[in-house]
Amino acid sequence: MDDIIHKLVRRFKTNDPFVIAKGLNIIIRHAEFDKGTRGFYYRRLRRRFIVIDNGLSEEWQRVVCAHELGHDRLHSGLSQFWIDEHTFFNTGKYERQANIFAVKLLTHSTEQELGESEEAYLLRCGVPKQLHNLKM
């Protein structure tokens, strides 16, 4: 995962998930979702899409984009919809991996300052508190 993120940041000269997604020809759309859904990733034929809830703050939209980009890079052959409908597989593992990918991408280009707490560092990088307890 670290190598994938490093190569993406080096290739696109940024850790901005929107710039990276655009560079990878992933189409980003916004839609209104029911409570509990922040976004999703899917492939249709040869096109890839990230759809993000338009009611989210800019910070959360960035996190969701990074998370869904994680699905594209780590789980490209899997479809959440197919897994949910045709298997009894627990998708929690994939969601956790995508969350870790998002945190690592968002923090990639920023060093933790001397004496800075982990929480302050993550907040400075735009990582919401809900993702601070991930074990990476």
Side-chain angles (χ1 to χ4, degrees), residues 8 63 105 110 115:
L8 287 172
V63 170
L105 178 62
T110 307

Side-chain angles (χ1 to χ4, degrees), residues 10 45 49 65 80 90 95 102 120:
R10 188 177 66 215
L45 302 174
F49 298 86
C65 186
Q80 176 73 38
N90 180 355
E95 292 305 306

Side-chain angles (χ1 to χ4, degrees), residues 50 64-76 94 97-99 101-102 105:
I50 291 174
V64 170
C65 186
H67 172 97
E68 302 306 338
L69 191 57
H71 284 304
D72 177 75
R73 298 287 90 188
L74 302 173
H75 315 127
S76 62
Y94 297 120
Q97 287 175 344
N99 281 339
F101 183 95
L105 178 62

